[in-house]
């Protein structure tokens, strides 16, 4: 990318719902970035608290000079995936970066991202982040992947051995516009569903070995604070929908074929364990699980995989 004629522009998308307590800190961290070429897209997902009023006050008092870079979109509450998708329709930047408004960015994070984009021109830049707990922090460091190891990266994301979060990936906008991506129906693990597809479609990926994002873990209203059974159901439903989106796509055009067996067996195991009834709702499930391979690298224990296949055999 020719930075002299066209400095890279990054569209930052933040869905806002129920974050009145945290949004001022978040706003300072994003609006105070040193890099000048940022588009800010704040999607009000029908929040019922004063989040938007706090955000407007921060902008008015400290960042009024950024007004021309800010887009505020108001919509009825539809959940996190729908809010992210709404934000995408307003993107004008070369790259898209999804953030959550109860978290915050490191100083100069966007400048470091832009520099890495200028250096590599990669479709996706991924990086380290920090989980911030009430009394301690935990740095989450990524492994090195490239286009030759994309399938391993995707399988590791699905099996929780790499980070499937969107908050540690900056993505070329054309990956969103050039492909018909499955937008998850449910909020839990929606970022992993999207991340896997984006990595699968990317022609190039690069790792930036810096900590750029701070992921708050002490927000009791965050998605990960949901009950276990609800989370597992949403996980299984999202990924089965993802499987159904691509199951008839030829492998050379299919971004996530490498995780088909993992998705099927894990959904089947969750259905048995939590009595979700997925085998009845999705008649293909038992047949496809019978064909699926047992894999040591799966997030489902080998014994649980065997039980799932045995159950499917008698369906």
């Amino acid at each position: 990318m020719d930075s002299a004629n066209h400095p890279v522009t990054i569209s930052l998308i933040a869905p806002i719902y129920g974050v009145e307590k945290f949004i001022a800190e978040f706003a300072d961290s994003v609006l105070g970035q040193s890099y000048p070429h940022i588009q800010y897209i704040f999607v009000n997902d029908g929040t019922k608290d004063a989040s938007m009023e706090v955000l407007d006050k921060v902008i008015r008092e400290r960042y009024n000079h950024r007004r021309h870079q800010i887009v505020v979109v108001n919509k009825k509450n539809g959940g996190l995936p729908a809010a992210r998708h709404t934000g995408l329709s307003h993107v004008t930047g070369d790259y898209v970066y999804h953030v959550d408004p109860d978290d915050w960015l490191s100083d100069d994070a966007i400048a470091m991202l832009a520099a890495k984009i200028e250096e590599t021109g990669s479709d996706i830049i991924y990086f380290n982040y920090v989980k911030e707990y009430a009394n301690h922090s935990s740095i989450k460091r990524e492994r090195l992947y490239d286009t030759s190891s994309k399938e391993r990266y995707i399988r590791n994301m699905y099996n929780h051995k790499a980070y499937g979060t969107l908050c540690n990936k900056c993505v070329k906008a054309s990956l969103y516009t050039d492909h018909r991506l499955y937008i998850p129906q449910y909020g839990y693990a929606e970022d992993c569903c999207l991340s896997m597809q984006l990595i699968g479609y990317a022609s190039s990926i690069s790792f930036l070995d810096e900590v750029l994002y701070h992921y708050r873990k002490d927000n009791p209203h965050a998605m990960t604070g949901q009950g276990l059974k609800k989370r597992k159901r949403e996980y299984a439903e999202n990924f089965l929908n993802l499987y159904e989106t691509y199951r008839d796509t030829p492998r050379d055009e299919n971004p996530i074929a490498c995780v088909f067996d993992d998705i099927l067996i894990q959904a089947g195991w969750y259905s048995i364990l939590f009595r979700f009834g997925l085998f009845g709702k999705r008649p293909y499930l038992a047949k496809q699980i019978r064909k699926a391979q047992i894999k040591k690298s799966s997030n489902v224990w080998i014994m649980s995989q065997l039980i799932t296949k045995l159950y499917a055999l008698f369906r």
Side-chain angles (χ1 to χ4, degrees), residues 211-276:
V211 174
L212 303 187
Y213 193 84
H214 299 260
Y215 175 28
R216 188 186 300 276
K217 294 293 288 181
D218 61 348
N219 179 3
H221 304 295
M223 191 66 64
T224 49
Q226 294 178 350
L228 177 64
K229 188 171 181 178
K230 185 175 190 293
R231 295 201 308 269
K232 298 304 185 185
R233 178 183 287 278
E234 290 194 0
Y235 191 93
E237 294 280 6
N238 271 342
F239 283 106
L240 284 176
N241 289 340
L242 181 66
Y243 165 78
E244 290 168 8
T245 300
Y246 289 104
R247 64 182 169 184
D248 297 323
T249 303
R251 189 176 179 92
D252 60 349
E253 301 172 16
N254 190 324
I256 56 126
C258 62
V259 290
F260 274 6
D261 289 351
D262 304 78
I263 289 171
L264 293 163
I265 290 179
Q266 185 154 54
W269 173 241
Y270 282 171
S271 185
I272 296 167
L273 189 63
F274 296 105
R275 300 180 181 179
F276 288 157

Side-chain angles (χ1 to χ4, degrees), residues 8-28:
V8 64
T9 54
I10 297 176
S11 292
L12 186 150
I13 300 175
I16 297 170
Y17 184 87
V19 288
E20 178 182 349
K21 180 179 176 182
F22 309 110
I23 196 166
E25 182 181 13
F26 163 78
D28 279 326

Side-chain angles (χ1 to χ4, degrees), residues 144-155:
L144 184 63
Y145 301 97
D146 56 25
T147 49
S148 67
S149 56
K150 281 200 311 181
E151 287 197 358
R152 181 162 59 90
Y153 190 14
I154 292 167
R155 289 204 71 242

